[in-house]
Amino acid sequence: LGEYRRALDMVDEVVSRSDDPPAMVLLLRTQACSHLDMPERTAREATACLTHTDLDEEEFNSPFSAAEFRVQCRSLRAGALAELGQWRRALDDLAHIPAASRDA
């Protein structure tokens, strides 16, 4: 868990210095929060990821795409919301994940 804590601190520093941090940095922060068992913050960070409007396809390398980015964000948020007992919102997030992504 120490590695995730250090990663979160580093990413928080990058985000604090940027007006528009890259989408992947926001996803890394969300993942670190999830691994550190911080469901409230995971849900908040995943929401920030999903509202990131500048998802430049070139930022993502194959096979990772903007669509997969959204799947990762929704999956992390659904797990955090379920952990917080917000089942309806968690199920709503899961319903927005394409079936092909759920089967992978």
Side-chain angles (χ1 to χ4, degrees):
L1 290 178
E3 292 297 317
Y4 291 113
R5 181 76 245 169
R6 280 192 290 283
L8 181 58
D9 291 343
M10 287 175 24
V11 171
D12 280 345
E13 185 178 326
V14 169
V15 170
S16 72
R17 292 182 291 169
S18 175
D19 290 336
D20 187 26
M24 290 303 292
V25 172
L26 297 176
L27 179 58
L28 289 172
R29 181 159 69 170
T30 304
Q31 290 171 330
C33 291
S34 177
H35 286 293
L36 290 167
D37 196 25
M38 303 166 78
E40 294 93 355
R41 186 162 178 199
T42 301
R44 187 173 63 245
E45 300 297 347
T47 299
C49 285
L50 288 167
T51 58
H52 197 281
T53 57
D54 188 24
L55 292 178
D56 182 3
E57 286 290 338
E58 292 182 13
E59 181 178 341
F60 301 99
N61 296 322
S62 186
F64 203 85
S65 66
E68 182 60 26
F69 171 84
R70 288 183 186 91
V71 167
Q72 290 290 319
C73 294
R74 284 198 181 278
S75 296
L76 288 164
R77 187 168 71 175
L81 292 171
E83 205 172 322
L84 294 169
Q86 296 180 23
W87 296 102
R88 187 173 299 232
R89 290 182 61 205
L91 289 172
D92 184 54
D93 268 340
L94 292 175
H96 283 89
I97 297 173
S101 295
R102 290 191 300 256
D103 297 337

